[in-house]
Amino acid sequence: MESLLLKKVNPWLMKLFYSVFLSCLLATSLLAGSVTGQDLKSTVVKLNSKYANLEQVLQAVENQTDFLFTYNETIKPREVEVVVAAGENSLLKVLENISRNSNLSFKQVNSMIAIKEKQTPQKQVVKQFQQYTGTVYDGESDEVLPGATVQIKGSTTGTITDADGAFLIDAEAGQTLVVSFIGYEAQEIVLGENTTITIYLGGDTKALDEVVVVGFGEQKKVNVTGAVGMVTSTELENRPTTNTSNLLQGLVPGLVVQNYTAMPGQDNGSIRIRGVSSINNSNPLVIIDGIEGNMNILNPDDIESVSVLKDAASASVYGSRGANGVILITTKSGKRKGAPQVSINSYFGIQKPIQLPEMLGSVEYMQLQNEAMRNVGQSETYTEEDIQKVIDGTDPNFSANTNWIDEIFRDRAPQYQTNVSVSGGAENLSYLMSYGHLNQDGMVVGDAYSSKRDNLRFKLNTTILDVLDINANLGYIDRTYHSPQWATDRDGGVIRGALNISPLVPVRYTNGEWGYGGGANNPVAIATDGGSNVFSSQEFTANITAQINLHKNLSVKGQFGQVMSNSKRETFVKKVVHRHPESGDVLWFNVEENSLEVRDYVDRYQNILAQMDYKNTWGNHNFSGLVAFQQEWQRYESFSGTRKNFLSEDVPALDLGTNPVQSNSGDGYHWALRSGIARLNYDYKGKYLLELNGRYDGSSRLSEDNRYKFFPSLSAGWRFTDEVFFEGLKKVIYDGKARVSYGELGNQYLSNMTGYAEYYAYLPVLTDVGTMPIGNQRTNGFAQTVSAGKSLSWETVQMLNVGLDLYFFEGRLAFTGDWFNKQTKDILLRVPQPTVLGITPSDINAGAVENKGWEITLDWQDQIKEFRYGVNFQLSDVQNKVLDMGDTPPAYGTNVNLVGYASGSYYGFVANRLAQESDFDMIDGKLVPNIPVTSSELSKFGPGDLVYEDLNGDGEITAEGDRKVLGNAFPRYTYSFRGNVGWKGFDVSFFFQGVGKAVGYLYDNARHAFKTYSMYPQTTHRDRWTPENTDASYPRLIFGETYNSRVSSYWLEDASYLRLKNLQIGYTLPSHLLERLRVNKLRVYFSGDNLFTKTNFYYAYDPESPLSAGGYYPQAKTFIMGVNIGLK
Amino acid sequence: MKNIKIIIAFLLVTVVFQSCNDDFLDRKPLDAISDVNFWQNEEQLLLAVNATYAHLKGKNTVDMENMGDNTVWPTQTAYRQISSGHYNNDLGTLNTEWTEAYAGIRRCNHFLENYEKADMVNEELKNRYAAEVRFIRAYLYSYLTFLFGDVPHITTALNVGDEEIYGPRDSREEIANWILEELTQISEDLPESYSASDYGRITKGAALGWKSRVALFYGKYDIAEAAAKEVMDMGVYELYSDYYELFVSESDASQNAANKETMLSRVFTTDISMHNLSREIQVPDQSARWNPTKSLVDSYLCIDGKTIDDSPLYNESSYDSLFEHRDPRMKMTILSPGSKWGGREDGNPENTDKTIFTAPKFNQNRQGSVTPTGYYFSKYCDLDAVPTYNRDENDIIIMRFAEILLNYAEAKLEQGTLTQADLDLTINKLRERVGMHPMVISELATWGMDLREEVRRERRVELVLEGQRYYDILRWKRGDLLARDVKGIKKEFIIRQDDVKSIPTDEDGYIIFLTGNTFDESKHYLWPIPLAQRDLNPNLTQNPNW
């Protein structure tokens, strides 16, 4: 009889009870998916008499069932007469009947049934009530949504959907149904004639309840006062991109990814957050589930969310490690009390090079070579007879016509990936197991390049002793990368080799032996038979967290994490023998003896963290905060051994090398960090927000005197739309927040030095150095090669950030804008020193760099019935400027750090045109230039050469006086535009990404011909200057001379571009078709990366690899077909 | 319940703080030795001495020959640019030379500042170590002053922040005197020779010999004469029997005790340290990198001691005849028809034996070694090392006894005291070794030959490819030699005329390979101070007219 007791309680208490109860209900229905809506229907009650008063009926029901009724004092059940059907009846029917014939309504809330008076108790209205039935679906997955609340707007009448997502409600036409579910946007439907309704709930576009992962915790997005970018798993799905760096390209404004190669396994782009703030290491800190990790070998399918901490306030809890921004990756987990869910994602596809250089054939090459020789007054290299031999094809061994680019590249290379995960949970337990396999073949012949990766992850969360939460997160990554033994970089390797070899050389001689180029290795032979460079690595991550809630407001957490990797690089250089096609004489072999080098690396990173979280509320004042202590340390060691002369090239085992000369080496480094961390959050009514952060860091890389530093930050936010005066404007601006933050970050990264001196830069050290063999023996020597920086201290970044978050149209349109000014001071810089110093200078704290910029995001998400669509536009800019270089003169090179200009700016001559005959006077039968030229080239300079501008006007071209900053390699105005459309089972999404302003520089083989014997002409060199073609794009051809190819504005390329980064078309089969197969999701899709590029960059290379001599493995377009399967 | 919570929380905190210790952040290097712990014993000193030997020039000694007029590189290189006078202060090689020299000097200074800290019983050995290092420092300063003139004279181990880094140039004259003084001092501490296991270390002879070279460069002929004489009187050195064999690996002094001529060499050893000189000389499928010039070839006297212009023995009727009746060193230096070679296909289509050279090749079909001048070298070419890249283990000679004899003769000549007896003691020993007509002062006079020119000619033909020609031209102030066209053989000697149709010739029919060379007497006797260094240190003044 508790129910009768309840009615006597104070109505205020009732209300409180109600609201708490309701929210608990929502919580439980979310967690367990348990539904009681069906109970009313299935519960059968037996009533004896047709006529009764309501109290009798209620008592009967309470006696026969678990349901209890609640009502307030105005309702007197004894006085309400009702007519009921005698005998057994569903409780739902009984209550519906009573409601229909009275002014009362019933609302079931779990095992409670609330009785209320109808607000419009007119009889005729009652008559118009009819039963509406419907089903609620997840708009994205098309899965039914059990537990969704269906309520008539303006009344308390409502119900909850059952396990099939179905509901049944009595309402009158013209009323509005409000369907809501946590995590989804509520939808309103005006009821009409049709009594069967289908409702699709879309994601909560308001995103107001969205939770953002921040350093050492989580925050509601509305409370975030810093600049944090967030990427969710849906934005990363089904892309044929093998690493997370490249996946993040274009997804977060202010995060710039430059990806210059598609080399299997080694194709991760470089990431810069808000520009280049440090000279040495501008890589952001990557934290995976709380410990530092390598996101590029992580399985992208395992990622739940990525947070990018861009401003100092957000990153300052990472103190000395946060200067370049922080990327926080959270991996997926199982859900408690969830049924086991199996998910299978698999694709297969092909990669193709986006663009390749087009080389000229032998005949044109020979003609141009002769022209290049004539132009420098030297004899022609090839005779008419030589050229005729190529045309006639009479000498296929020495006068071939080979297109080496065609020969070294394949048309296409396969790539496939499969991911399987199983997740679920029980009362005190959740788990997730995932496995991913990636296989990427190379686009170069001879199986020279390939990559394989297997990722395993196991996550377990359990509560023991009722109070202690234990989280175990174990990861294992096994990867193998193959590449040719001839290492690939911008200056070498088989791809550069294909540019270095004459088209006259055949791939194979007529007798089947490899063709030989004379001074250039046959790249196809090396890629096929030259041996391999195999890198394999096994990485094990163990990350254990234990958390105890000491009090409802206080919890303590301990974490131990470690990443251990064991890697091996085996470089097996095989002997490729080239024999004369006729005599069989040995012409050349790439190495005297084959050799094997095995290098073993062991790396172990450990992290220990103790953290205490506290939160409390006093009235409208909400406080939360944390204190933490953290230690991190890493140790790396390597060992290598080499042997030569292997009798068999089949088994690469060191033991089989027979040359008695064997060598070995080993090295290593270690470092440690010790930190104290604190954060305080305060808000008043969720309207005025304030956050204070601080971290005190000590680093082993600095001397004892300079070891520790404190990095503070402060941020504040104002949700002005909550102000009373804003009420009227709420219709326009649904929600709005202004943010401001300021803080300090540190950087302890020194520039790379010989050995690992950067880890002990404050100590003068001697290391093993090579020297002359004394007494005909290998001789050891020890010497200091790097200067010690005894007074080195932290580099400090100070950043001001101002931001605005606005939501319009009830949250469907979101705007985020940020402006920042980031000042890096006391930069750790290897200031170029006059080389009388005699050793590599150590870094010093010198100079300052500024990065100023802004970022905007516009996002529109909407759903019109079954038609879902959304667009997202991002634009950001950052301007870098060197403010100070510590009073030291700059070191001028291709790139330069000059005060007042962007760091690493291109530096060189200005050249806009080619010299014409009018630029010369004929004196004594010789052409003498009447324009300024370089004195040492006075006698060489001729029509068709590049005209350098005499910037200082001294009548002469000199390196000192006539060079200037020409442009900045770092991209500006990076933007992206994404869109997605879904209708029923179909979905289409596209993703454009681009750069508005950037400069690239191509040099040597990438752009020029005939500077040396190993630089061959491309189709673009046809348009060279000749007396007949004076309006040429390329200077006259001059053999062996480099004066036209100096770094100058003429050779800088516009590296801006717009690229269709990804296009995806998918179809999800209706779930009812598959239910019997226990399949709850089946989606097939096509996805393509880098499908289309619009750019003015040089045709042969990619605008994303703006500094190249032509040796890079190219970028690829990838097309895949895939399937996503969910099983229950 | 509350107790459990507290116990667990306590455990968590304990685990975390367990690893806290005071030296957590002290991480000492894992692969290097701290300067503080070094310099303690004999073994460590020896390792530091050894490291300075890395700065003896190896193949670069020979490469510097490209700056002279003896040989020409087929493509444009920095040394060819210097040789032809078409270079500026931004030429990378200038900066490399500067930087490498000071890197070696810093290493030496670092040793010399610290070696006395070591606990060593054998004082003599300690002094020898210091003397070896001081030699290398003096050697490096010699090149710096030869090339750049005034340079910063640094004798302490600099560190970032030291003011001396931004110091001005010091006088060449003072540094030269200091070098000579250093060499004098250390010659007291150095042994005359070493055991085989220490072969390659600096000897007393090397110090004195180097002193004579430096003194000669700076016109201090009395010092040059005395130093050379001191070496000659040591009785340690004598000429090796065979001039040609002296430059192949079998006769390396590091391996062959019969070689008592080599005084200092950069030692090369199979698989440990090797270079690529032999392959470059006769590379079989490309252009030979080392191509004797007409100027060099013409400088060889005929066997009768007369010049090619005067000797009746000279016969220029064919390529082959050029090599006949000449100073025997010519065939030992310049590849002559009928010799074994590594260049494979030559310029004579009739020749079926690819191991024998018969005619120069001009056709670039990548099947044989091509020469733009028509000549190849044979000196310093180990045929075994030609077929593969970087497999030459031949020691590079930095100084040999023959040079001391030449230094002596020239020093005496310049002082006006050169006698026939002196010639017999020096130059005629060189001629005697190869069977060449001796140099007789009276004969020269009768033939109208200038003694100075002949002494210099002797130096040229004896020391070709040993990296001295450019320095000799500088000190003789004969820059005009570099301003001339680089020529080769008579075009008519070439068998396949089709290959050379477009090659220009002079009025006498000789191939002109390079034209337009210049030498500005007002500036080219010194290299410019590298642009990069002047950018970094505004206190460095520039050489005249650069």
Side-chain angles (χ1 to χ4, degrees), chain B residues 226-372:
Chain B
K229 190 71 171 67
E230 218 177 321
V231 176
M232 288 155 68
D233 291 345
M234 278 168 71
V236 174
Y237 302 106
E238 59 186 58
L239 296 180
Y240 187 66
S241 55
D242 190 312
Y243 177 81
Y244 173 77
E245 277 181 17
L246 184 60
F247 302 99
V248 296
S249 53
E250 287 73 23
S251 313
D252 283 353
S254 61
Q255 301 179 39
N256 187 342
N259 178 351
K260 293 197 171 100
E261 183 172 346
T262 303
M263 298 168 66
L264 179 62
S265 61
R266 169 49 164 97
V267 178
F268 287 87
T269 305
T270 315
D271 284 337
I272 290 167
S273 181
M274 300 170 99
H275 59 86
N276 198 38
L277 180 59
S278 293
R279 181 172 173 81
E280 287 175 359
I281 288 175
Q282 293 179 6
V283 59
D285 36 42
Q286 300 154 53
S287 294
R289 311 294 202 261
W290 301 86
N291 300 282
T293 59
K294 177 174 186 291
S295 158
L296 171 67
V297 173
D298 287 353
S299 70
Y300 284 91
L301 297 172
C302 286
I303 190 92
D304 57 6
K306 292 183 179 165
T307 64
I308 55 170
D309 295 329
D310 295 337
S311 173
L313 297 172
Y314 185 64
N315 171 5
E316 206 187 353
S317 59
S318 70
Y319 186 69
D320 293 22
S321 73
L322 282 172
F323 294 86
E324 301 308 319
H325 314 299
R326 303 290 291 274
D327 182 332
R329 279 172 294 192
M330 180 169 154
K331 279 190 178 181
M332 298 178 189
T333 304
I334 317 286
L335 187 72
S336 60
S339 307
K340 280 188 99 59
W341 81 323
R344 218 170 281 131
E345 189 181 286
D346 67 8
N348 176 9
E350 313 284 298
N351 178 16
T352 50
D353 185 351
K354 290 186 177 167
T355 64
I356 301 293
F357 167 73
T358 61
K361 179 177 169 67
F362 287 82
N363 175 14
Q364 308 219 16
N365 64 355
R366 294 180 311 284
Q367 296 192 67
S369 192
V370 172
T371 169

Side-chain angles (χ1 to χ4, degrees), chain A residues 884-1066:
Chain A
D884 176 22
M885 288 292 288
D887 297 330
T888 50
Y892 295 100
T894 301
N895 298 91
V896 72
N897 293 323
L898 262 188
V899 172
Y901 297 94
S903 63
S905 289
Y906 288 113
Y907 187 77
F909 295 95
V910 175
N912 302 315
R913 65 184 188 97
L914 304 178
Q916 304 296 346
E917 273 161 27
S918 59
D919 295 315
F920 296 81
D921 298 324
M922 188 64 87
I923 298 172
D924 299 336
K926 278 187 162 176
L927 283 175
V928 177
N930 55 28
I931 50 171
V933 297
T934 310
S935 63
S936 63
E937 280 131 33
L938 201 60
S939 61
K940 300 176 180 176
F941 192 78
D945 282 335
L946 210 52
V947 177
Y948 297 116
E949 301 293 321
D950 181 17
L951 298 182
N952 66 357
D954 64 354
E956 200 188 350
I957 304 300
T958 57
E960 298 99 309
D962 299 310
R963 289 188 297 170
K964 61 174 255 191
V965 167
L966 301 173
N968 178 9
F970 195 77
R972 293 193 53 196
Y973 308 112
T974 52
Y975 58 90
S976 73
F977 181 63
R978 284 179 288 152
N980 60 280
V981 176
W983 182 71
K984 293 204 165 161
F986 293 96
D987 62 85
V988 175
S989 69
F990 63 85
F991 173 17
F992 285 96
Q993 181 263 332
V995 166
K997 190 177 169 191
V999 173
Y1001 175 57
L1002 297 172
Y1003 58 102
D1004 284 1
N1005 290 56
R1007 190 70 180 87
H1008 300 295
F1010 303 118
K1011 273 169 74 181
T1012 65
Y1013 273 118
S1014 56
M1015 288 164 92
Y1016 293 90
Q1018 305 178 17
T1019 48
T1020 43
H1021 295 121
R1022 284 179 180 145
D1023 187 30
R1024 78 250 176 232
W1025 190 96
T1026 61
E1028 295 76 40
N1029 183 26
T1030 54
D1031 185 27
S1033 60
Y1034 195 84
R1036 68 177 179 141
L1037 303 175
I1038 42 173
F1039 182 80
E1041 296 290 353
T1042 54
Y1043 61 84
N1044 279 340
S1045 55
R1046 291 202 176 98
V1047 183
S1048 78
S1049 57
Y1050 203 80
W1051 304 117
L1052 292 186
E1053 305 276 346
D1054 173 4
S1056 63
Y1057 67 92
L1058 167 66
R1059 178 165 273 174
L1060 177 54
K1061 203 73 200 166
N1062 181 260
L1063 176 70
Q1064 215 175 116
I1065 302 166

Side-chain angles (χ1 to χ4, degrees), chain A residues 523-540:
Chain A
V524 177
I526 298 285
T528 312
D529 285 349
S532 56
N533 178 334
V534 182
F535 174 82
S536 58
S537 178
Q538 293 79 40
E539 184 183 288
F540 179 72

Side-chain angles (χ1 to χ4, degrees), chain A residues 80 98-105 116-119 121 126:
Chain A
V80 180
I98 296 170
S99 175
R100 205 170 290 146
N101 298 311
S102 68
N103 70 334
L104 295 176
S105 71
K116 286 204 153 183
E117 284 179 67
K118 287 180 191 165
Q119 295 193 329
V126 173

Side-chain angles (χ1 to χ4, degrees), chain A residues 611-632:
Chain A
Q611 181 177 333
M612 187 184 282
D613 284 274
Y614 180 77
K615 60 165 193 255
N616 210 344
T617 298
W618 288 279
N620 289 322
H621 304 276
N622 303 310
F623 287 92
S624 65
L626 67 84
V627 287
F629 171 80
Q630 188 180 24
Q631 285 193 166
E632 293 167 89

